[in-house]
Amino acid sequence: MSDTQQLRSLNINQVSEPVRRKVAELLDESGDRGWRRLAELLGVGGRCRLSPLELEHCSLKVLESEGSPSLYLLRLMGEKGYTAMDLVEFLQTLGHNDGVQLLKATGIRIVVQPGSMAVLSGQRVKLCCLAVGHPIVQYQWFKVKHEVPHGNGPELVLNPVHVEDSGFYICRVNCGTSFEFSQWAQLDVCSVSAAGYGSVAGAQENQIHICVQPQSQKLIVGDQLVLECFATGKPLPRYQWYKNQCLLKAGNTKHYKIPYVTKANEGVYLCRVYNEHERKDSQEVEVSIEEHPTNARGPAENSEDDVNNRPVATDKVALLIGNMSYWNHPQLKAPMVDVYEMTNLLRQLDFKVVSLLDLTEPEMRNAVDEFLLLLDKGVYGLLYYAGHGYENYGNSFMVPVDAPNPYRSANCLCVQSILKLMQEKETGLNVFLLDMCRKRNEYDNTILIMEALRVTANIVFGYATCQGAEAFEIQQSGLANGIFMKFLKERLLEDKKITVLLDGVAEDMGKCHLTRGKQALEIRSSLSEKRALTDPIQQAGCSAESLTRNLQWAKAHELPESMCFEFDCGAQIQLGFAAEFSNVMIIYTRIVQKPPEIVLCEAYVTDFPLDLDIDPKVTNKGTPEETGSYLVSKELPKHCLYTRLSSLQKLQEPLAFSVCLRYQYQGMEETVEESKEVDVGKPLIANLDISSQFKRSGCLQTCQMTHSPCGSCLAGTDATEPQLRPQNMQYSGSHLNVYNPSLASASGFPQSEHFQYSVYSNALGTGQWSPYYSSYRSSTNIPVENTDDTSELVANFSDRVNFQ
């Protein structure tokens, strides 16, 4: 079959989607030689004329997420029977030679894609890729970037397979001068005992079989917990760990690890293994943890008296705020990643966590008020902030995203006022972790008259930088932490006194050549007890305050339940929801049933409230990354359309939108549309109405405080606590993130990114090193392992640092 004959036998809709999209982009950008001119040619020299309604549908495509009238026109042409050769002839008439060359290189069609699987070492494994093309196709297998020896056929056979064969495989199909790549296939190989192998020998390849079960463990406070589960199957099994039947958000790999366990980690654990076809649960195992002096990392840290008299919290709550998208100031990037990772770590320490991104001044004040409602006598309260900030006359200010340029104290939140309100709650521990600049604001000469704080021995400040200095984040393509969080996350789970833990972070930061001499952690504390973030929770009964606190926290976690809609045509659409932050929600839709007489079926969501200011161009996308959601993409179900709703705190009314279905019956030219209205109430933080301009006045705009019990800066030792001296306190930030246990875990192959590094600090002294988040995929398009402990977001540093 010649190339021309093959193009004549290939329907336009059978042309690979990337090629069709490139041709469509060419037509969209060509003006008088674009899709309208192509439609005219169809009416003059084509077999079928487009109806006025079809042309109108093409025009309206610019308002939808795809945004391509040409792509819709090409699909209509395919449905009317036009072939790739017909399109070539039309493009030649229009003078689009680039489009002609694209189509003539589409002679390869991969009909069988290799599939991902998990197997045991010693088995026989076969990866298959089958393609058709003229005159003959050739195969070339690769493991990541390296060619596989003897991998030059449609089947890649590994017999026997070894553990070192684990990884990602892809097949390149060559035909003359053109080529196509297959999908990536992940091979996960585990070595088990002969008995384990024998138990799975009779299992079918496409069935899940758990061959490594987790084991019960008896540990001592401070030990490391490691639970392991491994299953074979095809498609590749995924993992989700549960504790006491509650989903562990950070437990979505084969190994579940807690570096430093406490009594709060006791419980019954199991692992759920699943793929697209089935799911199985591992055996339940019990993890018990004893308090014993032998758990010590040194006699000075964990004596017998320490264990017997260890402080306890009546509860633990945390507010995390990350401000990035400033209206009148330089944009930041790292706060999103920092808040997300801080949330996952604090959850492992049994904190009730609320996380918020990009808050205005009223929203920040109201969020702090809600945080104060969660505090009570003996509660551990933690406030984490990442964003722009400054410090004047010993008072620290957090800058909302709507602050004017220049901003002053009247536009910002004073940290010391928040501390005063926290003290009034008689909290057991007040921790402030502030990732912001502390340079003086030359536009703000206000001198505040302060009221003295109570002298209490329960305050710890961890400043990302010293007084008068800047804090930085790294600018790179991809996701990255700020400098402070880069080192803090490595130690946050340690079972050590909070000041000792921060001393370790300060030492780690001091070893970083990028920030040496520019940014150093500063610690201020009035702590006189060995209180740690790992301290156990011991509630004295079920008080009214505790019930109120739990109810308030639960309100910020409420997600709509998954729902299914059946339309008149018989198609069924599933609608699901997931929380990325307390004020960011992902909606995913997919078609779960389609009648056989329907040849075209599309589902999407639209008509969102104007409060959310949603761009239709980034809704109903094929991947979460296309919507701006980079952090939970691997935890969402696959093969859906995704829509990301941010700034949920701005919702004034219940969230109502439309679920639409567009479909076409076989043999009919017209498409039919149906829609259903959905009201899911107020999800997540929208329940708390923090966007109200004059909701409460609890969070003072300024603070009245002349003296602070936290004046001394620790010099890296915790042998003796600093003497209380009448100095002003500094504070610079807080974060807050909400976790929802109904967030589903799912598979997905993230793509590697190219990184480039630079550093900046803005002229106002409020800048941070800023990473550039890129949604493009690298030229090699190599996936990253996502079934084991290799998915951590790691910041990379460059040897070249450029300051502006």
Side-chain angles (χ1 to χ4, degrees):
M1 183 184 295
S2 66
D3 291 346
T4 300
Q5 290 175 324
Q6 185 171 0
L7 290 173
R8 290 196 184 280
S9 65
L10 188 66
N11 185 279
I12 289 179
N13 287 336
Q14 293 177 321
V15 174
S16 66
E17 184 178 359
V19 172
R20 281 188 289 122
R21 287 190 176 276
K22 289 179 181 179
V23 173
E25 291 173 3
L26 185 66
L27 292 170
D28 284 336
E29 299 170 356
S30 296
D32 57 356
R33 294 189 303 151
W35 69 271
R36 293 186 183 276
R37 178 57 180 154
L38 176 58
E40 292 176 4
L41 292 178
L42 295 178
V44 176
R47 297 187 297 274
C48 300
R49 181 189 298 269
L50 294 181
S51 67
L53 182 59
E54 289 172 326
L55 290 174
E56 183 181 355
H57 282 166
C58 288
S59 300
L60 293 177
K61 282 297 175 180
V62 297
L63 303 177
E64 298 183 6
S65 58
E66 287 185 353
S68 175
S70 300
L71 191 61
Y72 187 74
L73 176 60
L74 294 179
R75 193 188 70 188
L76 288 176
M77 291 175 64
E79 293 168 357
K80 293 178 181 296
Y82 283 96
T83 66
M85 192 62 204
D86 294 329
L87 182 57
V88 166
E89 293 173 352
F90 285 127
L91 292 176
Q92 287 174 335
T93 302
L94 293 174
H96 289 307
N97 293 328
D98 290 343
V100 172
Q101 294 302 317
L102 282 171
L103 289 166
K104 286 188 174 181
T106 62
I108 303 172
R109 185 158 57 96
I110 298 177
V111 294
V112 176
Q113 296 280 0
S116 299
M117 67 184 78
V119 298
L120 297 176
S121 60
Q123 290 184 295
R124 182 179 185 271
V125 172
K126 179 174 67 176
L127 298 174
C128 182
C129 176
L130 187 61
V132 295
H134 178 80
I136 188 172
V137 295
Q138 297 176 324
Y139 301 88
Q140 190 177 15
W141 286 90
F142 292 85
K143 181 182 178 185
V144 191
K145 295 182 179 181
H146 304 289
E147 188 173 356
V148 178
H150 311 295
N152 51 9
E155 294 182 349
L156 177 63
V157 178
L158 303 174
N159 187 21
V161 68
H162 303 287
V163 174
E164 53 268 25
D165 293 322
S166 296
F168 290 89
Y169 292 81
I170 194 170
C171 185
R172 170 173 166 151
V173 182
N174 305 284
C175 182
T177 59
S178 61
F179 62 89
E180 289 282 346
F181 278 104
S182 71
Q183 298 175 355
W184 285 99
Q186 182 180 353
L187 181 61
D188 194 8
V189 185
C190 179
S191 176
V192 297
S193 64
Y197 177 82
S199 65
V200 76
Q204 297 182 11
E205 183 186 53
N206 61 346
Q207 289 184 338
I208 290 178
H209 184 89
I210 299 177
C211 51
V212 176
Q213 296 277 1
Q215 302 297 316
S216 297
Q217 298 186 34
K218 293 183 178 180
L219 303 174
I220 298 173
V221 171
D223 285 347
Q224 182 183 41
L225 170 65
V226 179
L227 295 173
E228 182 180 8
C229 180
F230 181 82
T232 60
K234 182 180 179 180
L236 187 75
R238 301 291 160 180
Y239 302 86
Q240 178 59 57
W241 289 90
Y242 291 80
K243 173 193 170 188
N244 297 333
Q245 299 183 348
C246 293
L247 180 145
L248 296 168
K249 187 179 178 184
N252 54 6
T253 64
K254 298 191 295 288
H255 301 88
Y256 180 67
K257 298 180 181 179
I258 300 178
Y260 302 90
V261 297
T262 67
K263 290 289 290 183
N265 299 124
E266 279 190 331
V268 177
Y269 291 77
L270 69 82
C271 184
R272 177 160 295 165
V273 186
Y274 64 95
N275 59 22
E276 298 172 5
H277 303 307
E278 62 175 328
R279 76 177 189 186
K280 289 186 178 180
D281 289 346
S282 72
Q283 63 187 17
E284 293 186 344
V285 297
E286 184 175 358
V287 175
S288 60
I289 300 169
E290 298 179 356
E291 292 184 349
H292 193 277
T294 56
N295 73 339
R297 286 163 176 72
E301 272 190 46
N302 292 286
S303 66
E304 185 173 356
D305 289 339
D306 291 335
V307 174
N308 295 333
N309 301 309
R310 178 165 188 162
V312 296
T314 57
D315 206 347
K316 301 179 187 178
V317 297
L319 172 66
L320 283 63
I321 300 176
N323 285 341
M324 306 185 303
S325 304
Y326 282 87
W327 301 0
N328 305 302
H329 304 282
Q331 306 286 293
L332 303 175
K333 296 295 184 180
M336 180 175 70
V337 185
D338 293 346
V339 169
Y340 185 80
E341 293 201 345
M342 188 72 170
T343 298
N344 292 335
L345 293 169
L346 290 175
R347 279 198 312 101
Q348 296 182 49
L349 299 173
D350 292 316
F351 272 82
K352 291 180 172 67
V353 186
V354 182
S355 60
L356 299 169
L357 296 183
D358 292 332
L359 299 185
T360 63
E361 179 192 344
E363 292 166 355
M364 286 185 70
R365 298 191 188 283
N366 290 331
V368 171
D369 285 342
E370 295 293 344
F371 172 59
L372 293 171
L373 290 178
L374 298 176
L375 302 180
D376 194 18
K377 185 174 182 179
V379 173
Y380 284 14
L382 185 147
L383 182 61
Y384 173 76
Y385 171 77
H388 288 318
Y390 71 95
E391 185 170 305
N392 274 12
Y393 306 107
N395 298 297
S396 303
F397 297 89
M398 301 179 291
V399 180
V401 294
D402 63 338
N405 189 0
Y407 46 71
R408 295 175 175 82
S409 60
N411 315 120
C412 305
L413 271 72
C414 178
V415 172
Q416 282 70 25
S417 71
I418 300 173
L419 173 59
K420 182 178 184 298
L421 295 170
M422 291 176 68
Q423 283 190 307
E424 292 174 359
K425 299 285 186 174
E426 299 183 12
T427 45
L429 177 66
N430 299 313
V431 178
F432 296 86
L433 301 175
L434 312 172
D435 195 353
M436 68 180 211
C437 294
R438 299 175 65 197
K439 295 193 70 174
R440 186 182 180 280
N441 182 358
E442 61 184 29
Y443 299 99
D444 183 12
N445 292 317
T446 303
I447 300 178
L448 303 178
I449 300 176
M450 305 292 183
E451 177 183 335
L453 281 174
R454 298 180 182 181
V455 179
T456 56
N458 61 358
I459 304 171
V460 177
F461 277 79
Y463 297 97
T465 191
C466 295
Q467 186 174 8
E470 294 175 320
F472 300 92
E473 61 182 24
I474 300 174
Q475 184 177 5
Q476 65 182 46
S477 60
L479 302 175
N481 292 115
I483 291 293
F484 181 37
M485 181 55 66
K486 163 65 181 172
F487 297 100
L488 177 63
K489 70 179 183 180
E490 300 298 329
R491 291 184 175 268
L492 197 67
L493 298 180
E494 293 181 0
D495 186 25
K496 295 180 179 178
K497 185 176 178 179
I498 178 63
T499 49
V500 176
L501 184 151
L502 291 174
D503 280 338
V505 177
E507 293 173 4
D508 295 341
M509 288 180 62
K511 299 173 184 176
C512 176
H513 68 281
L514 291 178
T515 55
R516 189 178 298 119
K518 303 177 182 67
Q519 178 177 345
L521 177 65
E522 182 175 333
I523 308 164
R524 293 181 181 268
S525 166
S526 66
L527 201 60
S528 61
E529 299 175 289
K530 288 191 175 181
R531 293 191 178 267
L533 299 181
T534 53
D535 288 342
I537 296 174
Q538 184 175 348
Q539 295 182 342
C542 198
S543 65
E545 292 81 2
S546 176
L547 291 174
T548 302
R549 181 166 59 249
N550 291 333
L551 177 62
Q552 195 75 0
W553 178 70
K555 286 177 66 177
H557 280 74
E558 291 180 0
L559 271 177
E561 293 185 0
S562 177
M563 54 191 70
C564 192
F565 300 92
E566 183 168 353
F567 289 82
D568 294 340
C569 65
Q572 290 185 358
I573 307 302
Q574 183 185 12
L575 199 64
F577 306 88
E580 188 173 31
F581 297 93
S582 299
N583 60 342
V584 179
M585 181 174 71
I586 311 296
I587 301 178
Y588 51 91
T589 59
R590 61 180 169 187
I591 300 172
V592 294
Q593 181 174 320
K594 184 188 73 170
E597 61 271 17
I598 291 180
V599 294
L600 168 67
C601 196
E602 297 176 343
Y604 59 95
V605 291
T606 186
D607 300 331
F608 290 101
L610 297 178
D611 297 345
L612 299 182
D613 191 24
I614 297 173
D615 183 359
K617 293 284 187 180
V618 292
T619 61
N620 303 293
K621 308 303 290 186
T623 64
E625 289 84 358
E626 292 177 87
T627 70
S629 177
Y630 303 93
L631 299 172
V632 297
S633 60
K634 290 184 290 185
E635 301 173 351
L636 294 171
K638 295 182 64 179
H639 310 301
C640 299
L641 292 180
Y642 307 91
T643 298
R644 185 177 190 258
L645 306 183
S646 57
S647 300
L648 290 176
Q649 75 276 5
K650 300 185 184 300
L651 274 176
Q652 300 298 315
E653 302 293 336
L655 177 59
F657 56 94
S658 298
V659 180
C660 299
L661 181 72
R662 182 188 297 114
Y663 59 93
Q664 185 179 42
Y665 287 104
Q666 189 172 5
M668 294 184 60
E669 295 184 0
E670 303 296 331
T671 57
V672 183
E673 292 194 11
E674 293 184 43
S675 66
K676 292 182 180 291
E677 293 186 359
V678 181
D679 187 335
V680 298
K682 287 190 173 182
L684 300 178
I685 201 68
N687 281 297
L688 303 184
D689 192 26
I690 70 167
S691 192
S692 174
Q693 185 80 23
F694 303 103
K695 184 180 178 184
R696 286 183 292 274
S697 58
C699 180
L700 304 178
Q701 181 167 304
T702 60
C703 61
Q704 298 181 349
M705 183 184 72
T706 54
H707 298 85
S708 165
C710 305
S712 299
C713 178
L714 299 182
T717 176
D718 197 54
T720 59
E721 292 298 334
Q723 182 180 2
L724 303 184
R725 294 186 298 195
Q727 288 186 347
N728 291 332
M729 299 187 62
Q730 290 87 30
Y731 161 72
S732 58
S734 66
H735 272 16
L736 164 58
N737 188 18
V738 167
Y739 158 68
N740 190 284
S742 62
L743 180 64
S745 297
S747 59
F749 289 161
Q751 306 298 327
S752 65
E753 308 255 358
H754 288 316
F755 293 90
Q756 58 185 9
Y757 316 104
S758 63
V759 179
Y760 81 89
S761 59
N762 66 60
L764 289 178
T766 56
Q768 297 190 347
W769 287 354
S770 174
Y772 170 68
Y773 292 108
S774 173
S775 59
Y776 77 90
R777 296 183 174 183
S778 68
S779 57
T780 56
N781 201 29
I782 299 171
V784 177
E785 168 71 65
N786 69 342
T787 63
D788 211 339
D789 300 331
T790 58
S791 58
E792 179 185 5
L793 297 172
V794 179
N796 294 297
F797 298 87
S798 169
D799 292 332
R800 296 184 300 171
V801 182
N802 301 317
F803 290 91
Q804 297 179 352

